[in-house]
Amino acid sequence: MPEFHHFLNQLPKAELHLHLEGSLEPELMFKLAQRNQITLPFDSIEAIRAAYEFSNLQDFLDIYYQGANVLQTEQDFYDLTWAYLERCYQQNVRHVEPFFDPQTHTDRGIPFGTVINGIHQALQDAKTKFGISSYLIMCFLRHLPETAALTTLEQALPYKDKIIAVGLDSSEKGFPPELFERVFAKARAEGWLTVAHAGEEGPADYIKQAIELLKVKRIDHGVRCVEDPQLVEHLIQTQMPLTVCPLSNLKLCVFKDMREHNILELLERGVKVTINSDDPAYFGGYMTENFIAVADALSMTKTQAIQLAQNSFEASFLPTAAKATWKQQLQALA
Ligand code: HPA
Ligand code: ZN
C-alpha cells in the first residue's frame, strides 16, 4: 500500500453515514440465504456482484431492499453488524453512528426487537473487543407515508435508550422533508436527535427544509447545497455537518467522475464535511477506500485528511470531552 494510503487507513476516524443493511456483503447474503432457506434470484456470489451497476438511487434501492430479505433472526442482525465492525477495526474507525431501516424488516413480519437486539449486542461487543464506541440511528423510509413512520416510532419507544437519533432515507425525489414534520417533532419530543438525507438527488431546497422543519443536527449527503450560494453560507456559519459519501455518489451517478466531486472544495470553503461509506457492500468500499478514492482523484493533502477526520468526530454525537480528546490525538499527527 502506498504510504499515504496507509496513513489514511491508520488515521483515527468516525463514520456517521452507514446503512447497516448496506454493509451486507454478497458472501454473507449467500450464507444467510442458505441458513434461512431463502431462494436468491442469483446463482452465485459473482452474479450478485455483477448486478451492482446502478444509474441512480432507485436502481440501487430496488436491489438493496431485495438483499435485506435474507435477514431474519437476531443472530442474522448480529452477524451483519459484527462484520461491519470488523472492517471498522481493520481501518481504525474508532466511533460509529450507523443507521438501520426498521420498516424494511417489520414490513416482512420481523419483530422490531429482533432487529434492534441483534444490532445492539454487536455494538456492545465491539466496544469491549475493539474499543469502538457507537450510537445507533433509526431511519424512516420516505417513500412510505408518514403514518407508517409514526407506527415505527411507537414500536421503537420500548428501546428508546438504544437509539440516539432518527433519520430519513430511501427515494429522495418527490418525497421532501416537509412530509415528515410531525413524526420528527414527535421524535424530538421523545428526546431523540434528528438527521436526514437531503441534497443527494433532491434539490438544495430539501436541505433547507430538513434544517428548518426537521431541526436536523446533520445533513446526510448534502452535496447539492452548491446550487444555492446562500445556503452554503448558512452551512458555513452554523457549521452544519454534511456526511458526504464519495463512492456512493460515484456509483449512483450523482457525480460522473470522482475528479468532479465537490467535497474538498466545500472543505476549503469551511463547510464541515465528513467522509463516509453509505452502503459499502454495494458501492465498492468502506471508509479507507472512500478516503483513498478522494485522495487519488482530488490530490488530498495530509492537512485535509486530518481535517476530515477531525470533522468526523466533531460532527458526531459524542460528548464534548471525547471530541476534545480526538482533536488532540489528530493534531498530534499533523
Ligand atoms: N440514499 C437514500 N437512501 C438510502 C441510501 C442513500 O444513499 N442508502 C440506503 N438507503
Ligand atoms: Zn445514505
Side-chain angles (χ1 to χ4, degrees), residues 133-291:
S133 55
S134 60
Y135 295 123
L136 184 59
I137 303 174
M138 166 173 84
C139 280
F140 301 120
L141 299 181
R142 70 204 302 164
H143 69 274
L144 299 177
E146 191 188 35
T147 48
L150 284 162
T151 305
T152 302
L153 185 148
E154 294 294 328
Q155 290 171 338
L157 290 179
Y159 307 93
K160 195 167 167 175
D161 297 344
K162 294 185 165 74
I163 295 169
I164 194 152
V166 301
L168 190 64
D169 65 2
S170 192
S171 323
E172 187 182 6
K173 279 195 249 173
F175 301 99
E178 63 184 346
L179 297 174
F180 295 88
E181 209 177 334
R182 278 156 302 260
V183 71
F184 269 64
K186 196 137 196 255
R188 292 196 309 279
E190 292 292 347
W192 283 316
L193 302 171
T194 61
V195 299
H197 283 54
E200 176 188 19
E201 281 192 345
D205 184 56
Y206 285 18
I207 300 174
K208 285 205 285 204
Q209 285 186 25
I211 295 169
E212 287 164 18
L213 305 178
L214 307 186
K215 319 274 186 221
V216 296
K217 300 289 187 205
R218 300 195 289 253
I219 293 288
D220 297 313
H221 292 295
V223 290
R224 285 192 61 187
C225 67
V226 291
E227 292 165 26
D228 181 344
Q230 271 190 332
L231 173 62
V232 176
E233 270 314 306
H234 179 77
L235 297 176
I236 295 166
Q237 250 145 43
T238 57
Q239 287 294 286
M240 173 64 66
L242 304 185
T243 63
V244 178
C245 308
L247 284 173
S248 165
N249 291 157
L250 190 66
K251 293 287 176 191
L252 301 187
C253 307
V254 173
F255 293 95
K256 280 200 305 288
D257 191 295
M258 196 59 89
R259 287 170 296 189
E260 290 171 17
H261 205 291
N262 59 16
I263 184 165
L264 294 188
E265 179 195 322
L266 289 169
L267 180 73
E268 289 307 312
R269 288 173 68 182
V271 180
K272 198 180 281 298
V273 288
T274 63
I275 287 187
N276 306 270
S277 71
D278 207 5
D279 302 282
Y282 293 89
F283 299 150
Y286 290 77
M287 282 288 270
T288 297
E289 289 81 10
N290 273 275
F291 268 83

Side-chain angles (χ1 to χ4, degrees), residues 42 44-53:
F42 303 103
S44 65
I45 286 161
E46 295 70 41
I48 301 180
R49 284 226 160 78
Y52 294 174
E53 289 288 339

Side-chain angles (χ1 to χ4, degrees), residues 38-71:
I38 290 167
T39 314
L40 284 174
F42 303 103
D43 294 335
S44 65
I45 286 161
E46 295 70 41
I48 301 180
R49 284 226 160 78
Y52 294 174
E53 289 288 339
F54 316 112
S55 39
N56 55 42
L57 175 59
Q58 195 59 50
D59 259 11
F60 154 70
L61 289 170
D62 293 343
I63 289 217
Y64 162 83
Y65 293 129
Q66 185 182 64
N69 287 335
V70 301
L71 298 160

